[in-house]
Amino acid sequence: MPEAALHVGSGKVRELYALDDERLLLVASDRISTFDVVLPTEIPDKGRVLTGLSAFWFSRTRGICPNHLLALGDNGRSTECRRLEMLPIECVVRGYLAGSGWKDYRATGAVCGHRLPAGLDESAQLPEPIFTPATKATTGHDENIDREQALALMDSNLFDEAERLSIELYRFAAEYARERGIVIADTKFEFGVDAGGRLVLADEALTPDSSRFWPADEYRAGAGQPSFDKQFVRDYCEALGWDKTSPGPELPADVVAGTRARYIEAFERLTGLSFGDYLADPSVVLR
Ligand code: Q0N
């Protein structure tokens, strides 16, 4: 960490520091959250896995859209990035019906203004991926919004371009991941605008923390799906009978080891690289 870096923000599991007027340092911790609560036990290398995966996707999607990545830290867990003017919405794309999408569909037959066919099951694949923006809640839960609500917060041309890019990024990554045994059910992108007014992909992208990853070999519509990465943690927490309020439980060593192995498996399946090679030289994900 640079001595003089100013802390400019923190998420549940990541921190953001200002390097200068143009650059930020995004640092991914090994913290894990489940049921919206950060647990007291860390998953070793989780932050490195997510940083490496995100950089891998940034590198492979440059032809679709520019991104904020300037450099990857030698420690494998930090990203030096371009400072942008962030859009006021979360750019969510859903290819399958899960979470709040499934909830909204069941209640209204639509998600964020997208009318969907009747009779879809939980976890069903949608006929086409849909753009389902959400507000950025500083406390509590993000709220799904439709186009009209989003246009009260931002320019319509920027909204349309963010929608187009988000869907294209999702299609590319979902097809790529499906061939490697992972269903990306949905994902959240954050975009910023650079000094020239261009949309730039920011934050972390297409990681298990910003997406729902499901094991493709177990996928079947009609029920909730296991999480590729967090299922051991969820099962352990459910078995404990924890009430899902803070503080969460400590995790036992076998749950930590199993969860760490799943993160590394996701990294290795998607990148085709060994995680050990990434630790030795993080720049392998950029080639
Ligand atoms: C920024 N957030 C989202 C990380 C995520 N390139 C950028 N330029 C200006 N601002 C941001 C970025 C990026 N990425 C993104 N907040 C500011 C939320 N943060 C919370 C802390 O962890």
Side-chain angles (χ1 to χ4, degrees), residues 7-16 22 24 26-27 68 81-86 90 136 188 190 192 200-204:
H7 193 222
V8 292
S10 56
K12 280 204 290 273
V13 301
R14 289 166 306 141
E15 310 287 340
L16 206 48
E22 273 105 51
L24 299 174
L26 186 55
V27 184
H68 75 165
C81 46
R82 280 201 277 162
R83 198 168 197 163
L84 306 163
E85 197 65 57
M86 299 302 289
E90 313 263 23
K136 291 186 181 183
K188 179 200 82 177
E190 292 211 31
V200 178
L201 182 60
D203 204 47
E204 66 173 38

Side-chain angles (χ1 to χ4, degrees), residues 55-274:
F56 169 81
W57 289 119
F58 282 145
S59 166
R60 261 111 198 124
T61 59
R62 243 176 246 130
I64 298 175
C65 143
N67 61 68
H68 75 165
L69 177 98
L70 293 171
L72 208 44
D74 293 333
N75 59 15
R77 76 163 71 246
S78 61
T79 305
E80 195 186 297
C81 46
R82 280 201 277 162
R83 198 168 197 163
L84 306 163
E85 197 65 57
M86 299 302 289
L87 296 191
I89 59 167
E90 313 263 23
C91 293
V92 178
V93 181
R94 298 170 189 274
Y96 296 75
L97 262 188
S100 66
W102 167 238
K103 233 167 133 187
D104 293 352
Y105 170 73
R106 248 195 335 190
T108 70
V111 186
C112 297
H114 300 273
R115 193 90 219 153
L116 295 173
L120 293 175
D121 287 329
E122 182 175 12
S123 309
Q125 184 170 17
L126 298 173
E128 299 290 334
I130 55 173
F131 184 62
T132 62
T135 57
K136 291 186 181 183
T138 39
T139 58
H141 252 287
D142 293 349
E143 191 193 341
N144 289 340
I145 55 175
D146 61 20
R147 178 187 156 85
E148 179 181 294
Q149 291 168 298
L151 293 191
L153 306 171
M154 64 183 290
D155 172 78
S156 65
N157 292 309
L158 276 181
F159 178 92
D160 291 345
E161 183 66 356
E163 169 166 23
R164 185 184 72 74
L165 292 174
S166 296
I167 298 261
E168 200 172 333
L169 289 164
Y170 172 80
R171 280 189 194 284
F172 170 80
E175 182 183 341
Y176 180 96
R178 185 65 190 75
E179 289 164 5
R180 288 152 184 88
I182 293 174
V183 172
I184 303 180
D186 50 43
T187 197
K188 179 200 82 177
F189 298 111
E190 292 211 31
F191 290 92
V193 180
D194 70 13
R198 284 189 318 167
L199 273 181
V200 178
L201 182 60
D203 204 47
E204 66 173 38
L206 298 158
T207 69
D209 272 14
S210 66
S211 321
R212 279 192 181 81
F213 280 14
W214 294 336
D217 59 354
E218 290 174 54
Y219 171 72
R220 62 172 191 89
Q225 303 301 293
S227 162
F228 191 92
D229 45 301
K230 287 182 178 171
Q231 202 54 45
F232 296 139
V233 173
R234 292 193 186 148
D235 291 348
Y236 176 76
C237 290
E238 294 286 7
L240 269 186
W242 166 51
D243 66 1
K244 294 167 192 173
T245 63
S246 196
E250 298 268 7
L251 300 175
D254 64 321
V255 173
V256 171
T259 302
R260 179 175 183 275
R262 292 297 275 176
Y263 280 107
I264 291 171
E265 187 182 344
F267 175 95
E268 293 189 334
R269 281 207 211 177
L270 291 172
T271 66
L273 298 162
S274 96

Side-chain angles (χ1 to χ4, degrees), residues 2-77:
E3 192 72 33
L6 279 137
H7 193 222
V8 292
S10 56
K12 280 204 290 273
V13 301
R14 289 166 306 141
E15 310 287 340
L16 206 48
Y17 301 88
L19 293 173
D20 56 41
D21 287 351
E22 273 105 51
R23 298 174 312 137
L24 299 174
L25 192 72
L26 186 55
V27 184
S29 74
D30 290 338
R31 294 193 291 276
I32 186 169
S33 69
T34 189
F35 306 111
D36 272 330
V37 174
V38 178
L39 301 181
T41 311
E42 297 192 329
I43 306 299
D45 294 323
K46 172 177 177 279
R48 291 191 174 91
V49 165
L50 270 55
T51 298
L53 251 187
S54 193
F56 169 81
W57 289 119
F58 282 145
S59 166
R60 261 111 198 124
T61 59
R62 243 176 246 130
I64 298 175
C65 143
N67 61 68
H68 75 165
L69 177 98
L70 293 171
L72 208 44
D74 293 333
N75 59 15
R77 76 163 71 246

